[in-house]
Amino acid sequence: MAEVMTVRGPAPSSELGRVMPHEHLLSLTPGPWLTAGTRDDRIDLAVGALAGLAARGFGTVVDLSPYGVVGRDPDGAEIAMLAEISERSGLHIVTGTALYLEAYAPAWAREATIDELTDRFIADAVDGIGDSGIRAGVFGEQATSLGEITPFEDRVLRAVARAHRETGLAIMTHTTHGTMSHEQVDLLVSEGADLDRVVIGHLDTQLSVDLARSILDRGALIAVDTIGKEVWDFFLEPAPDRPDGEFPKRSFARSDEGRVAFVAELVADGYAERILLAQDLTGAEVWMNPGTHGQLGYAYLAERFLPALAASGVPEDAIEQMTARTPARLLEVGA
């Protein structure tokens, strides 16, 4: 029986239900302001936010938070919160392990050699992250920068590829606005990665069917994983200290109408088995999307986006493939 490594131990892949393969459960608020700073309420918030998923056929959420960002502390100690969220919500939760853009990486990671990073990722998968005993079930979201792969990001992505070869866990990447996607594939191929277990992320920030096809035709999978995030601020590094007064900032927009057309065209071309769907919901961006995540949160994918796909002509079996069978296959341990 094929199994998936969840934060509460192995689970049969046949029991996952539909899967949300790219989320950040400990990043729903920027801090404990809802309790006037008296306690950390992230577990309660996550349990509440997940409440409607089971009734909509979703049984699993994958938390792809890298070390030191979107709710994951630099050493991974807070990973234990995910086990309690899983127990209280009744959902399977799978955790990833990864490092984000160089500017956000913890000091221990920036100073580590490729062998040390490889050993760290293997230990996360085999022994558990930090002292939690909770084992990673996937490598991701492993990130590269806008229009470049820095030497640090190159080193980490190679370490992830080597840990993938050792453990068999799938790899899910972060591309910054779809850039460096082919370069990610090139690097992973050079390290002997199995592209059938590699997902190149955030290609719906480009909405280029030609780019997506070119990645898919090389043997990798793609993620349409910012569904509902139609507007967001664009940060390449932590916010600097700023003087008083005006300052410029970068923002980005991609419509879900465009995402529906993007997915529908790829499905019509026969790629349904190689596409994942997710929301990448974080509280810092919900306020910019009041009509999508702001209304339905994690239920938006099921309530709005999947019906829109069906209305555009995407067959129900293709929707089940993208939301259930493909993510389950990727998460199977030792596959």
Side-chain angles (χ1 to χ4, degrees):
M1 176 172 48
E3 291 184 322
V4 169
M5 182 54 63
T6 78
V7 296
R8 293 196 289 163
S13 60
S14 59
E15 296 181 2
L16 297 186
R18 289 184 169 179
V19 179
M20 301 190 74
H22 186 135
E23 304 302 334
H24 303 288
L25 292 172
L26 297 176
S27 187
L28 299 182
T29 65
W33 63 276
L34 290 173
T35 64
T38 59
R39 61 183 174 84
D40 188 334
D41 57 349
R42 286 178 293 169
I43 292 175
D44 294 338
L45 289 171
V47 172
L50 294 170
L53 285 188
R56 294 169 171 88
F58 283 81
T60 304
V61 177
V62 181
D63 188 298
L64 288 188
S65 303
Y67 281 107
V69 292
V70 281
R72 188 74 55 92
D73 63 288
D75 295 312
E78 290 171 351
I79 199 76
M81 291 183 178
L82 295 180
E84 184 174 344
I85 294 168
S86 176
E87 182 174 1
R88 288 176 54 185
S89 69
L91 298 174
H92 293 298
I93 295 175
V94 175
T95 182
T97 183
L99 289 158
Y100 197 54
L101 303 177
E102 181 172 0
Y104 292 89
W108 67 259
R110 292 196 300 271
E111 296 166 0
T113 67
I114 189 168
D115 288 340
E116 290 169 338
L117 290 167
T118 302
D119 289 344
R120 176 82 172 232
F121 290 132
I122 291 172
D124 288 349
V126 174
D127 302 320
I129 298 171
D131 296 323
S132 70
I134 293 173
R135 295 165 60 185
V138 65
F139 294 120
E141 58 176 307
Q142 189 51 56
T144 58
S145 293
L146 180 69
E148 67 171 331
I149 299 178
T150 71
F152 169 80
E153 293 160 3
D154 179 286
R155 186 164 73 250
V156 180
L157 192 53
R158 290 184 187 280
V160 164
R162 295 176 189 186
H164 148 83
R165 287 173 51 200
E166 179 72 20
T167 64
L169 294 190
I171 298 171
M172 298 186 184
T173 76
H174 163 105
T175 63
T176 301
H177 293 177
T179 65
M180 312 312 290
S181 52
H182 275 291
E183 288 81 358
Q184 287 186 356
V185 173
D186 291 341
L187 190 155
L188 292 168
V189 167
S190 76
E191 290 290 341
D194 177 3
L195 291 185
D196 193 45
R197 296 186 61 71
V198 169
V199 183
I200 304 300
H202 300 331
L203 288 197
D204 56 325
T205 58
Q206 284 279 353
L207 294 182
S208 167
V209 173
D210 288 341
L211 174 61
R213 284 196 196 103
S214 68
I215 295 295
L216 291 162
D217 289 343
R218 294 186 66 179
L221 289 80
I222 67 165
V224 175
D225 52 5
T226 59
I227 293 165
K229 196 154 65 172
E230 296 188 301
V231 177
W232 64 95
D233 283 348
F234 183 11
F235 297 107
L236 295 177
E237 57 187 18
D241 293 331
R242 297 188 181 98
D244 291 345
E246 291 188 19
F247 66 90
K249 71 173 185 177
R250 304 173 72 177
S251 299
F252 209 78
R254 280 289 182 260
S255 73
D256 278 348
E257 181 180 3
R259 289 187 177 97
V260 167
F262 178 71
V263 173
E265 185 170 349
L266 290 171
V267 169
D269 288 344
Y271 294 111
E273 294 185 358
R274 311 195 69 75
I275 300 170
L276 300 183
L277 306 176
Q279 293 186 184
D280 192 20
L281 186 156
T282 68
E285 292 155 333
V286 167
W287 71 272
M288 289 182 282
N289 293 278
T292 58
H293 293 173
Q295 290 296 312
L296 288 164
Y298 287 121
Y300 177 78
L301 177 62
E303 287 292 303
R304 298 270 183 86
F305 193 80
L306 297 184
L309 284 181
S312 73
V314 175
E316 180 62 26
D317 186 68
I319 291 173
E320 187 71 9
Q321 181 72 53
M322 292 183 286
T323 59
R325 295 196 296 272
T326 294
R329 175 182 72 79
L330 283 165
L331 292 172
E332 287 175 353
V333 177

